[in-house]
Amino acid sequence: MSSKTWDYIAKIVMIGDSACGKSSLTIRLTDNTFSDTHDVTIAAEIGSKIVPVDDNVFIKLQIWDTAGQEHYRAVTRSYFRNATGCLLVYDVTRRDTFSHVQEWLSDLRAQADPEICVLLVGNKSDLSETHREVAADEARDWANANGLMDFVETSAKTGDRVEEAYLQVAREIYYKIKGGKFDVNDKAHGIKMNSAKYGSSGAPEIGLDSSKDVKDKGGCC
Ligand code: GDP
Ligand code: MG
């Protein structure tokens, strides 16, 4: 178990078609494990991990792993609210999942904070040599054209670039906090500051249960 102190909690949403690896990416980050069996996510589950974003500054990522199925979409959309970061996931071996990223992004942007940090993630890179259906250049071009922060190919199976992907989003969120783009005192933003570290004025209620997190205070690294 981690005993790191977090400075901020940020809400991250995992979106994209079913079976792209959203749950597997989340589990790889939080537990460093992988399973070949596909447990369908019901509506949404939450995982969390404390990651470093600067010298002695840590963000606790609260990861909302959403269901990709069409019939859960109404529920899924409600989870977009308050999100400050997003991994928009497709499967590099299934062209149709890349065809749907535009739709996912439009849904997200209709609900989420305009400043939300969105990373395009092509998952299952371990299968790319034999089964690739989406070229990296095409995905990168799409990410640039649509104002996403970046694009990365990952493998939840091998762990390749998984932590890096989440870290990139965490760092971007931190830059935006520092730049005043996310107001940590506005509960419309999915950011919570550690009141034990920064004083109670910076501890808005944003519907994130953090009562058990304050005990993390004290340890580091
Ligand atoms: P979700 O519906 O987007 O949450 O997808 P899951 O995480 O449940 O994964 C769907 C299936 O793809 C599962 O059988 C996983 O084992 C498999 N999978 C997920 N990520 C990878 C990966 O990086 N490489 C490979 N080869 N399979 C993966
Ligand atoms: Mg899932």
Side-chain angles (χ1 to χ4, degrees):
M1 288 305 276
S2 170
S3 60
K4 288 179 194 127
T5 309
W6 53 266
D7 296 84
Y8 303 94
I9 299 179
K11 176 177 171 179
I12 306 281
V13 288
M14 305 293 296
I15 65 171
D17 282 5
S18 185
C20 288
K22 299 180 298 298
S23 300
S24 300
L25 287 165
T26 308
I27 292 164
R28 169 61 74 188
L29 180 80
T30 57
D31 300 350
N32 201 18
T33 58
F34 176 78
S35 161
D36 274 316
T37 53
H38 179 207
D39 275 342
V40 172
T41 307
I42 308 292
E45 291 170 358
I46 298 181
S48 72
K49 170 120 178 173
I50 298 174
V51 297
V53 287
D54 204 347
D55 284 347
N56 248 340
V57 182
F58 295 89
I59 289 190
K60 178 170 181 158
L61 297 178
Q62 191 174 70
I63 304 157
W64 294 51
D65 172 24
T66 64
Q69 288 82 355
E70 188 59 40
H71 57 278
Y72 288 127
R73 277 217 173 174
V75 184
T76 305
R77 283 194 192 108
S78 69
Y79 291 116
F80 296 167
R81 265 177 248 130
N82 288 341
T84 46
C86 171
L87 272 69
L88 172 49
V89 186
Y90 69 94
D91 176 343
V92 298
T93 71
R94 281 163 54 215
R95 177 98 210 155
D96 59 316
T97 66
F98 181 68
S99 312
H100 296 149
V101 292
Q102 183 75 61
E103 212 177 307
W104 281 108
L105 183 64
S106 303
D107 268 6
L108 179 75
R109 288 201 164 137
Q111 299 288 337
D113 190 299
E115 292 292 344
I116 189 169
C117 306
V118 186
L119 180 69
L120 180 65
V121 177
N123 189 43
K124 307 196 187 179
S125 62
D126 56 290
L127 300 174
S128 63
E129 269 186 32
T130 44
H131 293 87
R132 180 185 288 280
E133 289 188 3
V134 184
D137 282 349
E138 183 182 359
R140 189 171 295 105
D141 288 350
W142 182 86
N144 286 338
N146 285 278
L148 271 61
M149 50 178 279
D150 208 347
F151 157 71
V152 66
E153 287 191 351
T154 57
S155 169
K157 185 166 187 167
T158 66
D160 190 39
R161 305 194 74 183
V162 174
E163 189 159 2
E164 194 179 323
Y166 286 96
L167 262 175
Q168 211 178 328
V169 174
R171 290 200 185 110
E172 182 79 7
I173 290 171
Y174 181 57
Y175 291 138
K176 290 199 174 185
I177 294 171
K178 280 208 300 187
K181 299 261 171 64
F182 290 130
D183 179 357
V184 293
N185 293 305
D186 179 354
K187 70 178 190 175
H189 293 296
I191 293 277
K192 180 179 178 17
M193 198 157 63
N194 188 340
S195 58
K197 267 183 118 172
Y198 294 96
S200 57
S201 62
E205 290 299 320
I206 54 167
L208 303 175
D209 175 15
S210 62
S211 52
K212 58 186 174 297
D213 301 320
V214 178
K215 72 176 184 312
D216 286 338
K217 184 178 173 289
C220 177
C221 316

